[in-house]
Amino acid sequence: MSTGASEVFDAKEFVAESIETLKSTIDDIAIIACSGGVDSTVAAVIANQAVGNLLHCVYVDTGFMRKGETEQIEALLAEQGIKNLVTVKAADRYFEALQGVTEPEQKRKVIGELFIRIFEDEQKKCGAKYLVQGTIAPDWIESGGGVRDTIKSHHNVGGLPEDMTLEVVEPLRDLYKDEVRELARHLEINVAERQPFPGPGLAVRTLGELTPARVAVVREACAIVEEEFEHAAAEGTMELPWQYFAALLPVRSVGVHGDVRAYGETIVVRAVQSMDGMSARYSEIPHAVLQKISTKITNTVKGAVNRVVYDITHKPPGTIEWE
Ligand code: XMP
């Protein structure tokens, strides 16, 4: 646990040391996997400061990103002075590879492998020898590093195939989330206060079959949860949770639309307080806010969703995400 680590963590010193290490490690073209999240953006900015002339930044639009996210990420990276940015539109490839895959670990493995394959394609195009990643400590600890059991194969770890030809460089490997956020503030990256988002994106928030239509429902529901919580927090009705989102469950239930029986999908709203994602407590949300979210979701994604539930499980025994 890194509770209180920010008191002793020196962001300036860490950046200076990382730049030196990256300069002495990377002697050829490097690709950085940038998802626009805090971790990969910090890794990209530090790598750019160290070896910007060798760095190729690749953003993969998997089709599992949040509403408007691709455009925001492209703008953010440009703002940070990253010049060599390639956006790979890969949604079709992901949906095809994930056809019929519903088991969470299998899903993560398929996503991780395709992610690496796409980078290999990009590597061939630019001749990169290194892959820089924004992996942080909880990613590999929870993926079964050392003596721990595998809880989840995190995107950047469990999916790595054995025949991978790129050399992996992970400058943030020993850091916890609060330290990465401190780095982001130090580097003046404005994603510092943004809530965490899993590498496999909305794919792990769409339980059961992954189709463009079901993922679109989750995207819309997540946007509603974010909007309503942020609005209520700005008004002082509630404290903004550490992480808050919606997931689509593989459960259908009977409801009514007008006079007609409907057999619709179920959305679960999840909101937690946490220091670093390693443990978490579910957030107590005012009923009025949950009610508004429920009405908005069932109205907006009419016909698809007819039930909204709220998750009151701490971590442990639950995890923050549902897959
Ligand atoms: P869990 O669900 O394991 O999540 O309690 C802990 C924190 O990690 C995020 N998460 C991920 N982050 N790649 C990531 O970079 C992943 O595959 C991944 N899975 C979960 C999750 O959103 C939470 O903040």
Side-chain angles (χ1 to χ4, degrees):
M1 294 276 284
S2 70
T3 330
S6 52
E7 282 155 35
V8 290
F9 179 67
D10 186 333
K12 192 175 170 197
E13 193 182 313
F14 181 90
V15 171
E17 281 174 9
S18 285
I19 289 175
E20 285 317 305
T21 308
L22 288 169
K23 275 183 178 166
S24 60
T25 311
I26 297 176
D27 57 3
D28 208 331
I29 294 170
I31 280 186
I32 175 135
C34 201
S35 69
V38 182
D39 305 345
S40 65
T41 306
V42 167
V45 170
I46 293 177
N48 191 53
Q49 289 185 11
V51 291
N53 53 338
L54 294 172
L55 192 68
H56 286 247
C57 187
V58 177
Y59 165 68
V60 180
D61 183 352
T62 57
F64 304 132
M65 308 308 287
R66 285 167 291 187
K67 203 172 176 179
E69 197 162 20
T70 294
E71 297 73 20
Q72 284 165 18
I73 289 167
E74 287 172 339
L76 177 89
L77 294 177
E79 239 170 63
Q80 288 298 327
I82 290 168
K83 288 176 206 76
N84 292 324
L85 172 67
V86 179
T87 298
V88 182
K89 298 266 180 206
D92 291 349
R93 284 179 75 183
Y94 274 90
F95 279 112
E96 198 188 322
L98 287 160
Q99 245 174 29
V101 179
T102 54
E103 202 278 317
E105 275 302 289
Q106 185 60 20
K107 206 186 256 185
R108 282 173 176 272
K109 292 263 188 293
V110 170
I111 290 170
E113 272 179 31
L114 184 50
F115 173 82
I116 293 299
R117 294 295 165 221
I118 288 170
F119 270 83
E120 281 184 334
D121 290 349
E122 292 305 312
Q123 170 217 8
K124 280 175 199 142
K125 284 186 207 155
C126 71
K129 183 176 160 195
Y130 298 96
L131 171 64
V132 183
Q133 294 204 119
T135 313
I136 65 170
D139 297 342
W140 59 265
I141 292 170
E142 295 205 345
S143 293
V147 294
R148 298 200 36 170
D149 278 350
T150 296
I151 299 169
K152 296 179 186 181
S153 300
H154 275 221
H155 178 48
N156 297 339
V157 182
L160 293 183
E162 277 165 20
D163 61 346
M164 196 186 70
T165 54
L166 288 162
E167 230 171 276
V168 178
V169 181
E170 296 173 324
L172 312 178
R173 195 180 161 76
D174 296 326
L175 302 189
Y176 284 84
K177 205 81 195 182
D178 52 344
E179 293 164 328
V180 181
R181 284 184 194 277
E182 200 169 319
L183 278 181
R185 281 190 288 273
H186 170 73
L187 293 163
E188 296 179 358
I189 299 168
N190 71 6
V191 290
E193 306 312 328
R194 203 158 176 213
Q195 60 162 325
F197 187 59
L202 299 178
V204 293
R205 293 180 179 171
T206 310
L207 282 74
E209 201 192 350
L210 277 166
T211 63
R214 293 189 85 233
V215 173
V217 167
V218 183
R219 181 175 295 115
E220 205 49 54
C222 275
I224 290 169
V225 170
E226 287 192 17
E227 194 185 318
E228 291 304 325
F229 279 6
E230 283 161 19
H231 179 71
E235 280 193 328
T237 310
M238 58 178 266
E239 196 185 321
L240 197 63
W242 186 77
Q243 196 170 5
Y244 43 102
F245 56 89
L248 185 62
L249 301 185
V251 175
R252 285 178 165 253
S253 69
V254 176
V256 274
H257 276 303
D259 292 339
V260 183
R261 176 192 186 275
Y263 193 49
E265 302 254 30
T266 310
I267 283 283
V268 59
V269 177
R270 180 77 162 139
V272 296
Q273 278 311 127
S274 178
M275 290 293 293
D276 52 17
M278 299 291 279
S279 64
R281 294 184 70 78
Y282 84 81
S283 297
E284 289 186 25
I285 305 296
H287 272 268
V289 177
L290 290 173
Q291 169 63 74
K292 203 168 166 199
I293 287 171
S294 170
T295 305
K296 244 185 162 174
I297 289 175
T298 48
N299 280 347
T300 309
V301 285
K302 249 191 179 106
V305 176
N306 63 358
R307 206 168 288 265
V308 177
V309 298
Y310 186 62
D311 182 352
I312 54 165
T313 320
H314 301 314
K315 171 183 180 176
T319 51
I320 295 175
E321 304 288 343
W322 273 56
E323 284 193 338

